[in-house]
Each structure stands twice: as structure tokens, then as C-alpha cells.
Amino acid sequence: MSETSNSTLQNPISKYPQPPFNKQPQQVPGLALKMDPQPDHGEKTYKGAGRLAGRKALITGGDSGIGRAAAIAYAREGADVAINYLPEEQADADEVIALIEAEGRKGYGIPGDITHEAFCQELIAQAVEKLGGLDILVNNAGHQQAVDSLLDLSSEGFDATIKTNIYAPFWITKAALPHLPAGSVIIATSSVQAYDPSENLFDYAQTKAANVAFVKSLAKQLGPKGIRVNGVAPGPVWTPLQVSGGQPQDKIEEFGKTTPLGRPGQPAELASIYVQLADPNASYSTGQIYGAAGGSGHP
Ligand code: NAD
Ligand code: MG
């Protein structure tokens, strides 16, 4: 293959770090600022074009990973953005809020645990008050812990995965719905795990399949109200979720290697999908799942 001399062309293989990576265990939920190499959330690269001017977005898990990349992109496209995260992630969240404010947009951090219904209601109340409304809801927070054998999967572990990945989007969306005008969008972060589950992600994969059904059902329910509902199904992406127990550490060393691109995705590579799904130009896209998995997996 010839290398290009056109500086606007980028080879997706060499664009970002490839395995092997160092083992780097962190306690769940993990911090992006402790990762090696540092994930790219588009801090230095994402360029906005006013696609979301004046919009009001809430992104769960907006402190790090895919949610942070969406938060940065949304702010650069002209939206005000509130992010939710766990209190122990404040250091990551502070960086995101500073990046949002650097765009001249309003950025708000609303820390709290979404495995409690009362907090989910409080989260929406606070987001609506701070933003002066809401028209983009991104249910992106997620919990993933790899367990090799079903015999070692505790009820507490199963419950944490189901509460974070299924109950929380239900509670948050239910609380948000009365505030969402026609033209609003709801975006879910599902996974290739919905379609091609790994043997050690038995509980997680089921929740990501549930996220697909959430999108497909709710799009039918809310279509007549002018609210679009879509999802994103990422493949392996270099985020704290993976190094804090989402994968065993020996899999972190080889993370992303088996994809056709031979490396994990970076959060920045998914940001434009979240922008596209929120953009009113995509007005006929609802009930869809957009993939970004480096060449394998579904959809
Ligand atoms: P991440 O660790 O950066 O983000 C996950 C976020 O979830 C955390 O930052 C945390 O704020 C939030 N969270 C977890 N439990 C919570 C709780 N109880 N209360 C409040 N917030 C909580 O990792 P990420 O990979 O960017 O994850 C974002 C989404 O992407 C998740 O839904 C995940 O399932 C999905 N996903 C990730 C990958 C991947 O390879 N990284 C692949 C497919 C799907
Ligand atoms: Mg985080």
C-alpha cells in the first residue's frame, strides 16, 4: 500500500496507538487521567460547525470515555452540556467542564449514583433547571465487569450491571420525557456485545441487547411525538471502563488487536456519530443503531 502525500488523508491503522499496552488495573469506575496511553477524546482535534447551536444536552458518564468525547463535540457544535458521573470521578469531570466552558458554552457537573431512582429524578430536575430545558439526552453511563464463570457471578454483581445499564436509562428517560419538546433526541450507548456477546460478559451483554430493544421500542412510541431515539454500538474503545475490570488485564495488553484495524478505537472516533444523531439534519433517523467497531461485529 502506498502512503499518501495528501495531508488530509489519514490511515486509520496508524492514526492511534496499537497493542501491546501495559497492564494498568484501576478500581471501578476508573479515571481517564490515569490511563496509559492517554485516551483521545478530541480535546485537540474536534472542530465544530454550529450543528447543535443553542441545544441543551445531558450526557451520563460524560466525565470520561465515549461520553466525554460526545460532551466536547457537543460544546464545540454550540450546545450547553450537563454531565453526570460518580463523585469519585470529579477530577475527570472537572477537565470536561473546563473544556466545555473554553468553547463559551455552559457546562455543568451533576455527580451522583444512577443506580438509585430518586437520584435519577433529581438528575433530570437539576439538568433542566441549570440548562433551562433539555432536548438531547444521552444515556451513556455503563457498568462492565468481566467474570469468567457464571458460578462466580454474584447477585450483587449482576444487580449492579442491570441497575446501571437497564434501570437507570429507564428512570432517567421517564423523568426527562415531560421536559423534551418535539425535535428532541434520545441516544443510547449499546455495544457490539448486544450482537456478538463474549463468554465473560454474560450479564453485560444482556444489558446491551436490552439497550437495542430500548431504542427500537421507544422510537416507535415517541415517533408520533417528534422525538427521535437512536443508539450507538461501539466495538473495543480505549476507556476507563475496560481497564477497571471490564476486561481481564491480560486482555488489556492485546486490546483491539483482533479487529481488522488491529487496534482499539479512541473515544474521539465516535464523537461525530453522537453529533450526527442529535443533528436535526438526521431527522429521518430514528430507531437506528449506528456501529463503530473497527471492522468486525454488528450492526
Ligand atoms: P467510561 O468508564 O469512560 O464511561 C462509563 C461511565 O459510566 C463512567 O465514567 C461513569 O461516570 C458512569 N457510571 C458507571 N456507573 C455509574 C453509576 N452507578 N452512576 C453514575 N454513573 C455511572 O467508559 P466508556 O467505555 O466510555 O463507557 C461508555 C459507554 O460505552 C458504556 O455504556 C459502555 O457500556 C459503552 N461501551 C463501551 C465500549 C468500550 O470498549 N469502551 C464498547 C461498547 C460499549
Ligand atoms: Mg469515568
Side-chain angles (χ1 to χ4, degrees):
M1 260 179 286
S2 62
E3 285 303 318
T4 174
S5 57
N6 180 340
S7 62
T8 63
L9 270 185
Q10 292 178 320
N11 184 333
I13 298 167
S14 52
K15 186 175 175 185
Y16 281 117
Q18 301 165 2
F21 300 109
N22 294 329
K23 290 182 179 168
Q24 46 191 291
Q26 288 193 48
Q27 291 293 315
V28 71
L31 289 174
L33 59 80
K34 288 189 182 167
M35 290 181 70
D36 166 34
Q38 278 287 292
D40 180 7
H41 310 91
E43 288 90 340
K44 296 200 171 75
T45 49
Y46 190 88
K47 289 192 179 66
R51 294 177 68 182
L52 304 176
R55 301 287 294 274
K56 303 166 194 301
L58 170 63
I59 304 173
T60 65
D63 59 303
S64 59
I66 297 164
R68 181 198 286 217
I72 292 168
Y74 281 8
R76 292 189 184 166
E77 296 291 356
D80 292 334
V81 185
I83 59 171
N84 161 252
Y85 47 88
L86 286 162
E88 54 265 45
E89 298 174 296
Q90 190 66 47
D92 272 357
D94 286 343
E95 292 186 9
V96 179
I97 294 162
L99 285 159
I100 295 166
E101 290 176 345
E103 299 304 314
R105 306 310 316 173
K106 296 203 171 82
Y108 303 103
I110 311 175
D113 186 342
I114 58 172
T115 63
H116 300 287
E117 183 173 11
F119 173 72
C120 291
Q121 293 168 344
E122 176 63 22
L123 169 61
I124 291 298
Q126 277 196 43
V128 167
E129 192 200 322
K130 289 176 193 294
L131 294 166
L134 186 66
D135 54 53
I136 302 173
L137 171 62
V138 184
N139 285 307
N140 166 76
H143 182 79
Q144 174 185 327
Q145 291 289 294
V147 179
D148 283 338
S149 168
L150 193 62
L151 299 175
D152 296 324
L153 180 56
S154 67
S155 294
E156 291 73 21
F158 191 82
D159 203 45
T161 309
I162 304 289
K163 283 266 168 55
T164 313
N165 300 0
I166 299 182
Y167 272 89
F170 160 57
W171 288 328
I172 290 167
T173 305
K174 187 174 173 181
L177 214 43
H179 302 282
L180 299 180
S184 297
V185 297
I186 298 169
I187 300 170
T189 304
S190 178
S191 170
V192 290
Q193 290 293 325
Y195 304 89
D196 186 12
S198 298
E199 62 279 11
N200 61 355
L201 295 175
F202 170 82
D203 54 343
Y204 175 82
Q206 292 181 64
T207 66
K208 293 288 130 176
N211 296 159
V212 172
F214 171 108
V215 165
K216 300 276 178 190
S217 171
L218 202 58
K220 289 175 182 161
Q221 194 180 122
L222 299 184
K225 298 187 191 305
I227 297 173
R228 298 185 294 113
V229 188
N230 293 289
V232 181
V237 183
W238 188 244
T239 69
L241 178 98
Q242 299 292 3
V243 301
S244 64
Q247 303 289 334
Q249 286 296 317
D250 55 344
K251 290 231 171 109
I252 290 297
E253 289 182 298
E254 302 298 304
F255 195 56
K257 191 177 180 178
T258 58
T259 66
L261 293 182
R263 63 166 177 84
Q266 293 292 327
E269 296 180 281
L270 282 78
S272 63
I273 301 175
Y274 287 80
V275 170
Q276 168 69 6
L277 291 174
D279 187 327
N281 284 330
S283 42
Y284 204 59
S285 292
T286 188
Q288 312 299 315
I289 306 290
Y290 283 40
S296 45
H298 306 278

